[in-house]
Amino acid sequence: MTDLAARFRQLWDKIAPVGRDAGSGGYLRYALTDAELRLRQWFREQADRRGMPVTADGNGNLFAWWGDPGAGDAVLTGSHFDSVPHGGAYDGPLGIVSAFLAVDELRAAGVAPVRSVAVAAFVEEEGARFGVPCLGSRLLTGEIAVDRAAGLRDAAGVSFADALGDRPAGADPGLTGRFTAFVELHVEQGRALVETDAPVAVASAIWPHGRWRFDFHGEGNHAGTTRMADRRDPMLTYAFTVLAANKEARLRGAHATVGRVAVEPNATNAIPSKVTGWLDARAAEPDTLRGLVEAVHAKAAERARRDGTGLTLTEESATPLVAFDGGLGGRLAALLDAPVLPTGAGHDAGVLAAHLPTAMLFVRNPTGVSHSPAESATDADCAAGVSALARVLEELACR
Ligand code: GLV
Ligand code: MN
Ligand code: MN
């Protein structure tokens, strides 16, 4: 094991137990809950150890600064701590741990920043607690209204404002305007690098994607006594819609997933009165995505008519196509001699890309699996990611 891989493992082991579920081996690190708050505390300690002052933007996002926090032309890196339910260890935290280690590498090499470097920990990137992904970066950039964000509620009814302890501060153009670039390092969420010699890639684009909530209303009734012909069962409309989403996505070369469902009253011997399913849909082109969601909606509505159920559709979040800054991405790909890949996954980098030159580095994932405990990366590849990020920060902030 190289020194850097050993240093990576040492730091990684400090956070590895935080929020890990003993049963699944996955992580329950929801935004602003105990596990994530412990990681935020760890972030402050790591920054402190390195003499990096930490600032907060009032939206739940933290920034640790190597250099003057007030100076312009700063370079931003970092990622998020929060996870999906039973998510992998790397999605998010790898970008933050790697950023601290990249700063260590540059310092050890005697490299000093000409421009400040900020390491960010963005809040609620997954949207697993409050429903809207990249909530922190959307707030910071003004991509979501403060009132809407403040009022988002988790499953227990706690609002984002209450979890944050305050009304979110909203857009801070003074802060975003101080950054000349954002580079987010992230674990790869597919198998594109597995068969290659490259441990690190540069992102070209993020597919447009979003979340749509389908509420199917019916009539709750007794499972044993209600004649089949008399039922208004929203579970049927829901089930048909899931199959329709899969078919419509396949027809278009797009992705559609219903990974979350809520049933009322959720009893084995009762016909449900209401079923809610969340559709996550993604496609390479915005028109394809729009066509997909419209087709699924049309099929669901037609089926609801036949089932005697009601349907309401709500768009909970939408992220447009992100084409990362070609100049910056090309420069980094040349610097690192790295392949360039698109992704279907969403990231804070995708939100910030509309506001400043942004790029992403992906670290090889031998399983290709993500949003699951099976997500992985070798220590050697993580060390390669740190080295790559250090070279990028040297290029962008130290010359
Ligand atoms: C975030 O990881 C997303 O792509 O949903
Ligand atoms: Mn994720
Ligand atoms: Mn992520």
Side-chain angles (χ1 to χ4, degrees):
M1 193 185 268
T2 63
D3 275 6
L4 181 53
R7 278 199 300 284
F8 172 81
R9 176 46 53 187
Q10 209 181 17
L11 200 55
W12 193 247
D13 280 347
K14 297 273 191 281
I15 61 167
V18 181
R20 184 161 54 200
D21 179 77
S24 71
Y27 287 86
L28 305 170
R29 291 169 167 169
Y30 304 129
L32 304 172
T33 62
D34 280 358
E36 207 239 7
L37 291 171
R38 281 174 63 194
L39 293 170
R40 294 157 80 84
Q41 182 52 32
W42 174 88
F43 178 90
R44 289 181 180 278
E45 286 160 15
Q46 290 300 316
D48 211 38
R49 260 180 219 188
R50 292 169 173 79
M52 298 169 72
V54 173
T55 60
D57 67 356
N59 294 309
N61 305 314
L62 299 176
F63 302 86
W65 296 84
W66 184 27
D68 177 4
D73 285 356
V75 176
L76 182 63
T77 183
S79 192
H80 61 97
F81 284 126
D82 64 300
S83 74
V84 299
H86 302 276
Y90 294 84
D91 180 353
L94 183 63
I96 298 174
V97 169
S98 300
F100 280 127
L101 289 172
V103 169
D104 294 349
E105 288 296 289
L106 292 173
R107 279 180 162 164
V111 177
V114 176
R115 284 167 285 283
S116 298
V117 172
V119 178
F122 287 105
V123 74
E124 182 67 334
E125 191 272 351
E126 300 288 7
R129 182 169 177 196
F130 295 101
V132 175
C134 302
L135 188 57
S137 53
R138 284 182 208 267
L139 275 162
L140 172 63
T141 54
E143 298 281 353
I144 187 168
V146 169
D147 282 346
R148 179 171 174 228
L152 292 170
R153 288 185 188 276
D154 69 6
V158 178
S159 72
F160 179 65
D162 283 345
L164 193 60
D166 209 346
R167 185 180 150 80
D172 187 345
L175 179 57
T176 41
R178 235 181 289 150
F179 296 120
T180 51
F182 175 40
V183 181
E184 180 173 1
L185 178 147
H186 204 277
V187 69
E188 214 310 70
Q189 297 177 291
R191 295 182 49 82
L193 296 177
V194 174
E195 307 300 337
T196 74
D197 294 335
V200 174
V202 174
S204 57
I206 298 180
W207 282 16
H209 59 282
R211 297 179 181 190
W212 288 265
R213 192 180 77 237
F214 285 73
D215 289 303
F216 303 99
H217 304 268
E219 182 180 56
N221 210 334
H222 196 292
T225 59
T226 315
R227 292 190 315 165
M228 297 308 277
D230 294 342
R231 297 178 180 216
R232 295 198 291 117
D233 185 348
M235 186 63 88
L236 299 181
T237 327
Y238 161 78
F240 176 86
T241 304
V242 174
L243 296 175
N246 184 282
K247 180 175 175 187
E248 294 300 323
R250 283 169 185 269
L251 287 172
R252 292 169 172 79
H255 294 170
T257 308
V258 182
R260 180 178 166 204
V261 60
V263 182
E264 293 175 21
N266 207 20
T268 307
N269 55 354
I271 299 162
S273 56
K274 184 179 175 195
V275 176
T276 299
W278 283 262
L279 171 70
D280 176 310
R282 313 187 187 214
E285 301 296 334
D287 287 351
T288 311
L289 180 60
R290 201 171 311 114
L292 166 61
V293 176
E294 281 171 8
V296 176
H297 184 205
K299 288 199 157 181
E302 163 57 16
R303 177 72 198 208
R305 205 183 48 74
R306 284 191 279 139
D307 290 338
T309 54
L311 164 63
T312 54
L313 175 61
T314 308
E315 180 182 281
E316 292 199 334
S317 68
T319 305
L321 173 68
V322 176
F324 285 113
D325 186 290
L328 180 60
R331 192 168 149 206
L332 301 191
L335 177 76
L336 303 172
D337 190 19
V340 178
L341 307 174
T343 179
H347 300 283
D348 293 307
V351 174
L352 285 162
H355 300 266
L356 59 142
T358 297
M360 291 192 75
L361 304 181
F362 293 134
V363 173
R364 182 163 53 191
N365 171 350
T367 62
V369 175
S370 189
H371 287 185
S372 146
E375 179 184 87
S376 84
T378 65
D379 289 354
D381 284 358
C382 292
V386 172
S387 298
L389 184 60
R391 287 183 69 190
V392 166
L393 295 179
E394 180 176 8
E395 171 81 8
L396 299 179
C398 305
R399 289 183 203 283

